[in-house]
Amino acid sequence: MKKKIVCTLLLTGTILMTACGQSRAPMDTAATNAGNYARDYEEAASADWDVCVEAAEASPEAGNALGSYFAAMEPADEYVVTEDFQREGYNNIEESGFVSVQTQPFSTFAADVDTACYANLRRTVTNGYGMDASALRIEELINYFDYDYKTPQNGDKFGVVTTYTACPWNENSKLLRVGIKAEEVPVSGGSNLVFLIDTSGSMFDDDKLPLVQKAFRILAKQLSGEDTVSIVTYAGSDTVVLEGARGDDTREIMKAIDGLEAYGSTNGEGGIRRAYEIAEKYYIDGGNNRVILATDGDLNVGVSSEAGLTDLIEEEKETGVMLSCLGFGTGNYMDDKMEALADHGNGNYSYIDCEAEAEKVLREELFSTLYTVAKDVKFQVEFNPAAVQGYRLIGYENRKMAAEDFADDKKDGGEVGSGQTVTVLYEVLPVGSAEEAPVVASRYQNNATAHTDELHTAENADELLVVNIRYKEPEAEESVLKTYPVTTDMYREEMDADTSFAAGVAQLGMLVRDSELKGSTTYTAVYDRLKSLPQITDDDQKLEFLTLIKKCEKQFS
């Protein structure tokens, strides 16, 4: 029966992972390859196997997908961290543990809509590299996927949903999900885009400049006569390849893109300065002004350190021009620099490992990628110590802020695009839980009982916590505050589909990290729970995630 289910998923949903990091077999050998791979995967020749063969023979496309799927299920027996891969740059992420509500009732952090870490994980797992699990940003895995969140109503900037349910990996805790969906705005005012493309010698490989060219061809086809396009390249020096072209002059834009070649050193500083200079020159008041940087991040001329690049981009963002970072390549990829540039440049960060990912980022999600509807978005969750004794925020480790920074409009938050969703998960220890949060004794603080009794007033007796969200309009300098209480009667024992899937993604992240907080999580338990979710066969990316679970189990367990 298991094989029948697998065949059905492949025939109806198609597994995207076959398009990212794997070559496709010739059509006339698809069924043969499907058979070979499937026999290697499981030796039993059952009636279920016959179903797979019949499906492959009836549809070469299905056979090819089936073959690729089973090949993906059986990666190499050993994974070797190559010398080239060790040159990749990542910042270490120290996982957040439980904190006591008595000492830290506020949890404050900036919104994050970046998705680079998921595509990068897919790339390293597909290619058999040993990714540094400590560099995993779980929030980027979760936010890679679409969720069925309610749209904003009555002029609100965000539609907000909260769920409070049993935690699937810890019987002593509960799981809180906060989900927001930004308003979808009609495109108006046009876009002033500067493509800033790394053409240094390190970009020669097929998954670098050639893939960059494919990605920008996809983007160029989405533009209109209201848009303005410029192209700046940098190697040993910066070059203006195209300046101020109309967005509908597709032939001229394509010609400029196709003529790019990789050579020389990497003077990213010069390219960044020139790109912002041109973006300012063609600035559209009320429009979308943005530099789109495509690089492997391996800068070696001029300002090249993470701190130096951060200072540079902080200076340039004062122009009002935003930044999108697109990462490419393997071997010398500098994730740390790319993330820093996007975070400090009022931008977003995606990793492009294949043409299908370029389609997702630059066609399917173009408006959310390029059109910001809220800037400096911050979350602050305040927990009621009468109901909650401890909590931990899952992910967002490098987005945390001091509680006082929440109301300080000079402190940056995150940018959220048109129609984008943001998902936040907390593991919560309710009062009375068998698992205790660490508590710091204080000579002067009232004892916990007296303190909680004081707070347990008629006004907030039924509140677990309150979710506070601050944001600014794209052109504004003052923030707007929205507040959403979560009450005890909102608890549900069973998770809904969105919560279950988001929790599953977080669980995979904890498994890959070998987290001490993963509890009872296993690869098999996550896979079995997610594959039974309704409508999962209608979402290619979620189907792909099921494949990734199996590949991660083979590599990391």
Side-chain angles (χ1 to χ4, degrees):
M1 182 61 69
K2 177 171 65 177
K3 283 182 176 176
K4 286 182 180 178
I5 294 173
V6 170
C7 288
T8 302
L9 292 177
L10 286 162
L11 290 168
T12 60
T14 71
I15 300 297
L16 276 178
M17 190 168 284
T18 62
C20 293
Q22 294 192 27
S23 58
R24 296 177 67 85
M27 289 296 184
D28 57 349
T29 61
T32 300
N33 288 342
N36 291 338
Y37 287 130
R39 284 194 177 94
D40 288 342
Y41 175 67
E42 190 170 335
E43 295 179 356
S46 63
D48 296 332
W49 158 246
D50 294 334
V51 172
C52 293
V53 171
E54 291 173 6
E57 291 175 344
S59 170
E61 276 287 346
N64 187 43
L66 181 61
S68 298
Y69 176 80
F70 281 114
M73 295 287 281
E74 281 294 306
D77 290 335
E78 294 187 16
Y79 292 89
V80 180
V81 181
T82 66
E83 182 177 349
D84 281 345
F85 184 76
Q86 289 175 332
R87 289 189 59 232
E88 298 196 357
Y90 298 92
N91 284 323
N92 182 65
I93 302 294
E94 185 173 346
E95 185 177 31
S96 299
F98 283 103
V99 296
S100 169
V101 176
Q102 295 292 336
T103 54
Q104 298 184 49
F106 296 100
S107 172
T108 309
F109 59 98
D112 186 4
V113 294
D114 295 344
T115 60
C117 195
Y118 178 83
N120 199 13
L121 175 65
R122 178 178 61 202
R123 182 260 303 188
T124 58
V125 171
T126 300
N127 292 340
Y129 296 143
M131 183 177 180
D132 183 356
S134 65
L136 207 64
R137 299 184 291 274
I138 289 181
E139 73 277 8
E140 293 187 18
L141 307 187
I142 296 171
N143 286 324
Y144 182 86
F145 298 96
D146 291 329
Y147 300 94
D148 187 21
Y149 294 161
K150 67 180 183 181
T151 57
Q153 303 292 324
N154 304 318
D156 288 341
K157 181 64 65 175
F158 300 111
V160 179
V161 297
T162 55
T163 60
Y164 186 60
T165 185
C167 180
W169 62 85
N170 184 353
E171 64 180 7
N172 296 318
S173 64
K174 308 301 181 186
L175 186 66
L176 170 71
R177 174 178 62 103
V178 181
I180 69 171
K181 181 174 183 177
E183 65 175 344
E184 297 186 35
V185 297
V187 178
S188 62
S191 291
N192 164 35
L193 303 178
V194 180
F195 302 170
L196 176 56
I197 301 176
D198 181 354
T199 56
S200 65
S202 69
M203 294 291 288
F204 182 79
D205 296 338
D206 287 344
D207 61 349
K208 295 185 179 181
L209 184 57
L211 184 56
V212 170
Q213 291 169 306
K214 291 178 181 178
F216 279 110
R217 288 190 202 108
I218 292 169
L219 174 55
K221 294 176 183 178
Q222 316 305 315
L223 303 178
S224 72
E226 291 187 331
D227 304 320
T228 301
V229 175
S230 303
I231 300 177
V232 176
T233 64
Y234 64 91
S237 60
D238 56 272
T239 302
V240 179
V241 177
L242 184 68
E243 182 175 345
R246 283 173 53 99
D248 60 357
D249 195 347
T250 307
R251 179 174 295 183
E252 183 180 3
I253 298 171
M254 294 287 197
K255 181 180 178 181
I257 293 171
D258 292 342
L260 301 179
E261 296 180 352
Y263 64 93
S265 55
T266 316
N267 182 14
E269 176 192 1
I272 290 170
R273 292 192 186 278
R274 181 60 65 90
Y276 275 90
E277 176 185 313
I278 292 178
E280 286 184 75
K281 181 178 178 180
Y282 293 94
Y283 193 91
I284 301 174
D285 289 329
N288 173 40
N289 299 278
R290 186 174 296 266
V291 172
I292 305 176
L293 170 63
T295 178
D296 58 13
D298 191 10
L299 290 76
N300 52 37
V301 174
V303 175
S304 58
S305 68
E306 182 180 334
L309 291 169
T310 296
D311 290 341
L312 172 61
I313 214 70
E314 287 275 2
E315 173 189 335
E316 296 293 352
K317 79 174 183 180
E318 297 304 318
T319 63
V321 176
M322 294 190 173
L323 177 71
S324 289
C325 291
L326 305 179
F328 293 83
T330 295
N332 62 335
Y333 186 66
M334 297 295 150
D335 174 82
D336 50 357
K337 294 179 181 178
M338 297 294 286
E339 185 192 15
L341 285 169
D343 288 352
H344 291 272
N346 282 350
N348 45 47
Y349 170 32
S350 301
Y351 180 81
I352 310 295
D353 58 331
C354 58
E355 194 169 351
E357 186 68 12
E359 287 274 354
K360 175 180 182 290
V361 173
L362 297 175
R363 186 179 63 80
E364 298 169 15
E365 300 175 354
L366 177 66
F367 294 138
S368 61
T369 300
L370 298 185
Y371 292 89
T372 298
V373 298
K375 68 179 183 180
D376 289 336
V377 180
K378 307 172 191 176
F379 289 83
Q380 185 171 78
V381 178
E382 181 181 3
F383 291 89
N384 181 358
V388 178
Q389 68 176 11
Y391 65 88
R392 73 177 185 99
L393 174 61
I394 300 174
Y396 295 93
E397 286 89 353
N398 59 359
R399 296 283 183 157
K400 289 182 178 179
M401 307 176 73
E404 297 80 7
D405 291 343
F406 180 69
D408 187 348
D409 285 344
K410 295 180 181 178
K411 301 294 185 179
D412 283 348
E415 278 58 54
V416 178
S418 175
Q420 275 188 320
T421 61
V422 180
T423 299
V424 181
L425 296 179
Y426 281 92
E427 188 174 357
V428 177
L429 298 177
V431 167
S433 171
E435 186 168 340
E436 296 183 354
V439 177
V440 178
S442 170
R443 181 182 181 91
Y444 302 104
Q445 186 182 31
N446 292 335
N447 64 63
T449 303
H451 188 52
T452 54
D453 285 346
E454 178 183 345
L455 290 171
H456 202 278
T457 64
E459 182 180 358
N460 61 19
D462 64 339
E463 288 187 8
L464 288 165
L465 54 99
V466 60
V467 179
N468 302 295
I469 301 175
R470 279 192 181 272
Y471 69 90
K472 298 174 187 172
E473 296 289 345
E475 303 297 329
E477 296 300 324
E478 293 187 5
S479 64
V480 177
L481 173 64
K482 295 292 185 180
T483 299
Y484 306 90
V486 176
T487 56
T488 54
D489 61 0
M490 295 173 64
Y491 178 77
R492 298 292 182 270
E493 188 66 30
E494 297 293 329
M495 293 184 292
D496 60 64
D498 278 338
T499 302
S500 182
F501 189 85
V505 178
Q507 287 176 278
L508 178 68
M510 289 188 284
L511 286 167
V512 171
R513 277 183 174 179
D514 194 22
S515 168
E516 294 180 355
L517 298 169
K518 66 181 181 294
S520 62
T521 295
T522 65
Y523 288 100
T524 299
V526 175
Y527 181 87
D528 288 345
R529 188 180 81 240
L530 297 192
K531 76 178 181 181
S532 64
L533 293 178
Q535 287 84 48
I536 196 167
T537 57
D538 298 329
D539 190 320
D540 289 346
Q541 287 150 12
K542 290 180 179 179
L543 278 175
E544 177 202 66
F545 182 72
L546 294 180
T547 307
L548 186 64
I549 293 172
K550 290 295 186 182
K551 292 170 73 69
C552 286
E553 180 178 20
K554 183 71 175 180
Q555 178 167 344
F556 293 106
S557 63

